[in-house]
Every structure is written in structure tokens, then in C-alpha cells.
Amino acid sequence: WKHYERWISEILADCWAMGHLGVCATQGLMGVVTLPKYFQFRLDLSDPHPAPYVRVKLSCAFGKALFPHPQWDRIWKLWQTFYPTEGLPAEKLQLLQDLEKTEQEFVKTVLNHRAASMKGRSLAEILPYKERQPQQLQQVYNAWKEKPVFMESAAPTLVFAVLGHAKHNLLIDEIEENRLLTQQLRNWAYKRH
């Protein structure tokens, strides 16, 4: 718990991203923290950032809690193939096991936290995850394919969530994702002027 306490600001930022973006939050995080193995397992209490390995694990755990779907187990297994724990010192392995044992309780504690500034609502209750479940994102993507104009009025985080979900499910590639996002950015910029 002392590690979670030290890392809480970064964990909350990742949780916030997850609640708005779904699977592309974890995929984006993975892109950022793809680092040499030494850094993956750097469990340092003087650093406010969780070790990348733990950060991706927690992102998957928050994803699984908010968006129940088998994709989270697949993503986590993929990350583990990139960064196996074999050969780590015994104390690091023990700490990783201890963090894993408390992970579910920690995720529930964070999602159920009620700060006065949230007017009695829990963190989970202020996130738009209920409207952004995988099946719903798929339906929105299908609607946008039929009538692309609908995407123009969507919230930016919804656009990223829908396109990220479509890319994760191989409905679009990175070139098409980039084209759609670039077009949408132009639309938003035009509306601001």
C-alpha cells in the first residue's frame, strides 16, 4: 500500500484516461512505457511513477473493472511476453506478487472513492464508462461509418475511444485512424474560429 500511496497521482491519471478512452488508454500507455527491461521493474519509492510493468498491469485491472471484456487478459498476457519476470531478484518478485494480491482491493478502493469535491459521487460514477462499453463503441463506429457527420459533434474523448476501439479490433489500421483524427482535428479547429 505504501507503493500505491506514493504512485497515486499517476494511477489516478491513468484511471481517468481509462474511464474516458477504454482500451486505447492502455494501448497508449503501453506505447509510452515501452522501455528496456531494467526500467520496467524499477520499483522506486522516491519516484511518483509506478514501474511501467505495474502501471500497465493496473491499467488492465482498471479496464477490466470498468469494461469487463476478455481483451484485458489478452493485452496483459501480451505485455508479459514482452517483459517476463524470470530472472528478477527475489525481493522484486515478492513485491510484484504482493502488489498483485492487493490489486483488486486497490482498484475497488480507487473506483469507489468519494471526495467532497465530487458531491458524494464515487470516482467511477463521474466517469463516462457506462456509455463507452465495447459494444457501444462498436455501434457508434458503425453509425459514423454510415454518417461521418455524426463524428463532428462528438466529444474528443469519445472520438478517441471509438477510433481506438476500432483500431484495437482491426477494423481500421493506423493510416485510417490518422486520417480520421486529422480530419476531426480540422473540424474542431474550424468550429473554434
Side-chain angles (χ1 to χ4, degrees):
W1 287 93
K2 66 183 177 183
H3 285 83
Y4 290 140
E5 181 181 10
R6 177 67 178 135
W7 299 332
I8 194 65
S9 63
E10 292 298 317
I11 292 169
L12 286 175
D14 292 344
C15 178
W16 186 262
M18 175 59 64
H20 285 83
L21 303 175
V23 71
C24 70
T26 300
Q27 291 177 320
L29 175 64
M30 290 167 75
V32 170
V33 299
T34 299
L35 299 164
K37 188 172 180 176
Y38 167 79
F39 296 103
Q40 285 298 318
F41 300 101
R42 191 167 176 262
L43 300 158
D44 184 354
L45 277 176
S46 66
D47 187 350
H49 300 87
Y53 184 87
V54 173
R55 198 166 176 185
V56 171
K57 178 91 166 85
L58 286 171
S59 184
C60 289
F62 280 109
K64 202 171 188 176
L66 295 171
F67 306 95
H69 193 277
Q71 67 191 2
W72 303 107
D73 293 330
R74 290 193 304 267
I75 291 169
W76 177 240
K77 285 179 183 165
L78 176 65
W79 194 251
Q80 287 179 297
T81 63
F82 295 152
Y83 300 104
T85 58
E86 288 80 26
L88 290 178
E91 64 275 5
K92 281 195 181 190
L93 285 171
Q94 184 61 56
L95 179 54
L96 290 172
Q97 290 170 0
D98 292 344
L99 289 168
E100 188 168 1
K101 286 178 193 172
T102 57
E103 177 182 284
Q104 293 307 311
E105 184 182 353
F106 174 73
V107 167
K108 286 179 189 173
T109 300
V110 170
L111 292 175
N112 291 317
H113 178 70
R114 295 175 189 277
S117 60
M118 296 189 293
K119 298 180 173 104
R121 296 182 299 167
S122 71
L123 177 60
E125 290 169 338
I126 66 170
L127 296 172
Y129 75 97
K130 289 182 181 177
E131 302 85 37
R132 297 182 183 191
Q133 293 298 310
Q135 304 83 350
Q136 292 161 308
L137 295 176
Q138 181 65 51
Q139 290 170 353
V140 172
Y141 174 73
N142 291 339
W144 288 355
K145 272 182 26 181
E146 294 292 317
K147 294 194 177 180
V149 71
F150 289 155
M151 185 169 67
E152 291 177 19
S153 61
T157 57
L158 179 60
V159 172
F160 285 109
V162 169
L163 296 181
H165 177 78
K167 184 178 171 210
H168 175 74
N169 288 295
L170 305 177
L171 301 174
I172 59 175
D173 61 17
E174 60 278 353
I175 295 169
E176 179 64 4
E177 178 189 39
N178 185 51
R179 185 190 72 75
L180 291 168
L181 287 173
T182 301
Q183 175 185 328
Q184 187 60 26
L185 287 170
R186 286 186 186 126
N187 291 336
W188 288 328
Y190 177 76
K191 286 180 181 180
R192 289 184 68 178
H193 291 94

